[in-house]
């Protein structure tokens, strides 16, 4: 039996056999997906635009709270220890993106929890959970970015930090939420049709 079973089954609980081995594979797979998505990157200063936030939120919505949080912790630890898995094949913990990395873990908790409450099954709830997850990521990311920009002598008022670390990404976030809102309920419908 799995030790990380969610309170209410998420979509992976309906697809895969419940076991410790499955949990380990899902946690590792979530970290690997996030690492791969981080390499889909458009360089910007000081924070690149990547596919990694979509992966973080998708992993959370499919794995639930415990497994997705562990997956993001694994991702952050492996990258912090030197593996080139962050955006642009970067590694190391301290830099402009540190707050975003911490935000990934917090967002996984929020979106994973909501998925366990059934927010992964209807388009509106999926979009809302992704919006909430994005807000959590930005809360950590922009806060740290403001501190970081001040430490390197750049302008570090709130508006400058929002302009550098949030505003350019909002349209992409809306598109990611819309894509997830289409994909997850469709995946649930397919699973119900197959599994009954």
């Amino acid at each position: 039996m799995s030790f990380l079973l969610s309170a209410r089954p998420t979509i992976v609980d309906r697809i895969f056999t419940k076991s410790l081995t499955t949990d380990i594979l899902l946690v590792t797979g979530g970290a690997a997906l996030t690492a791969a998505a981080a390499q889909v990157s458009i360089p910007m200063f000081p924070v690149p635009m990547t596919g990694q936030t979509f992966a973080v939120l998708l992993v959370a919505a499919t794995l639930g709270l415990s497994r997705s949080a562990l997956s993001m912790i694994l991702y952050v630890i492996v990258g912090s220890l030197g593996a080139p898995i962050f955006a642009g094949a970067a590694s190391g913990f301290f830099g402009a993106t540190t707050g975003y990395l911490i935000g990934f873990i917090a967002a996984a908790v929020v979106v994973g929890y909501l998925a366990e409450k059934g927010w992964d099954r209807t388009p509106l709830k999926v979009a809302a959970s992704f919006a909430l997850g994005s807000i959590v990521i930005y809360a950590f990311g922009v806060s740290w970015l403001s501190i970081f920009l001040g430490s390197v002598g750049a302008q570090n008022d709130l508006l400058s930090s929002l302009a550098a670390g949030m505003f350019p990404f909002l349209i992409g976030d809306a598109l990611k939420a819309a894509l997830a809102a289409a994909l997850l309920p469709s995946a649930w419908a397919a699973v119900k049709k197959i599994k009954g």
Side-chain angles (χ1 to χ4, degrees), residues 9 47 63 72 77 83 88 102 105 113 129 133 144 157 162 191:
V47 179
L63 298 187
M72 292 309 112
I77 288 172
I102 295 167
I105 298 166
Y113 172 79
S129 72
W144 173 257
D157 60 83
L162 290 169
V191 168

Side-chain angles (χ1 to χ4, degrees), residues 146-172:
S146 181
I147 294 166
F148 177 81
L149 291 174
S151 73
V152 297
Q155 189 173 5
N156 68 338
D157 60 83
L158 180 59
L159 187 56
S160 297
S161 297
L162 290 169
M166 187 179 85
F167 294 153
F169 308 102
L170 293 178
I171 292 173

Side-chain angles (χ1 to χ4, degrees), residues 87-119:
S91 63
F93 187 66
F94 291 103
T97 61
T98 299
Y100 296 93
L101 295 172
I102 295 167
F104 292 165
I105 298 166
V109 169
V110 171
V111 176
Y113 172 79
L114 292 174
E116 291 177 8
K117 297 296 181 188
W119 283 48

Side-chain angles (χ1 to χ4, degrees), residues 11 57-58 61-62 120-121 126 130 179-189:
I11 195 163
L57 299 174
L58 187 62
T62 56
D120 60 340
R121 299 176 190 209
V126 170
F130 269 53
L179 178 61
L183 289 177
L184 284 170
S186 298
W188 266 107

